[in-house]
Amino acid sequence: MRITSTTENRPGARHAAWRTALLGAAIAVGTVASAQVLFNETFTGGTSSEGFTVDQEVGTCGWVFNNPGSRTITGASFDADFAIFDSDNCGSAGGDATASLLSPTFDASTAGNYLLSFSQQYRYCCSSVATVDVWDGSVWNNVYTLPASASVGYPGSALPYSVNITAATGGSSAAQVRFRYN
C-alpha cells in the first residue's frame, strides 16, 4: 500500500495510491507516476512496516498479511505480499466477522487532489459487504462499496479502480483510510 503526493500541471495537486488486498474484497493498489511517496506499505514478511492496524469488531476472522488460505491473486500490482480478509479460510467456525484494516494517518490539509487507486479481486458470498472509507477527523466517509451479490475481478485477474478522496478527507491533518469487511 502506498500513499503518494505529486504535483501535476497545477500547484498543490496530490495523489494518494494504496496497495493492499482483501479476498472477500481483494484490493491492491498500484503506483502513481511522478509521485512523491508519503509512505509505502508492502506487507513484506507477513507484517505491516508502516503501521497498518487491524480493528477486529466482531468474531475472530480478520485481516492477515500472510495469505493463510494460499490464494492465488493475479493482476496489476499484486505480488506475493498483501493484506487479505479470507472468510473462506476461516470456515463456518469463523462465524460472523467484521474487521477493518486501518492505514496510518496522513496529512491531507495541504490543498490539492488526493486520489486512491487500487486493483481489486472480490468474491461475493453469504451477504458479505466490503467498503473503503476515509476518515476526515470526525467521521468515516464511504468512498467505495463493493457491489451487493456480485463478484468483482473474481475468478479472473484483479481489476483497477480509482476514486478521488479529496472531499472525503475534509482537509484533515489526520486523514486515514480503512478497508472494512463484514
Side-chain angles (χ1 to χ4, degrees):
M1 180 160 301
R2 186 177 284 182
I3 290 186
T4 59
S5 170
T6 186
T7 302
E8 293 182 323
N9 296 331
R10 57 189 179 79
R14 293 191 174 267
H15 291 265
W18 303 80
R19 191 179 128 231
T20 189
L22 47 129
L23 187 63
I27 296 178
V29 182
T31 60
V32 176
S34 303
Q36 173 190 0
V37 176
L38 300 176
F39 67 80
N40 183 20
E41 174 61 77
T42 61
F43 300 113
T44 302
T47 64
S48 170
S49 62
E50 295 290 341
F52 279 77
T53 59
V54 175
D55 179 17
Q56 190 71 42
E57 300 169 48
V58 176
T60 57
C61 188
W63 288 92
V64 295
F65 310 127
N66 60 359
N67 195 10
S70 300
R71 304 297 179 192
T72 301
I73 300 176
T74 61
S77 304
F78 276 97
D79 61 17
D81 298 312
F82 49 83
I84 187 167
F85 190 107
D86 189 348
S87 60
D88 285 349
N89 189 59
C90 294
S92 59
D96 289 339
T98 302
S100 296
L101 177 64
L102 302 167
S103 78
T105 59
F106 61 96
D107 187 354
S109 64
T110 305
N113 271 332
Y114 293 85
L115 299 175
L116 175 63
S117 299
F118 53 90
S119 294
Q120 60 185 332
Q121 190 180 59
Y122 172 75
R123 179 179 173 214
Y124 174 78
C125 177
C126 315
S127 302
S128 59
V129 178
T131 62
V132 180
D133 307 303
V134 175
W135 179 252
D136 69 4
S138 299
V139 297
W140 288 105
N141 299 291
N142 180 262
V143 295
Y144 183 66
T145 299
L146 286 141
S149 304
S151 295
V152 175
Y154 179 86
S157 294
L159 301 175
Y161 182 79
S162 291
V163 59
N164 187 317
I165 63 170
T166 305
T169 68
S172 174
S173 61
Q176 197 171 21
V177 172
R178 77 174 174 188
F179 296 88
R180 190 166 189 258
Y181 183 86
N182 181 344

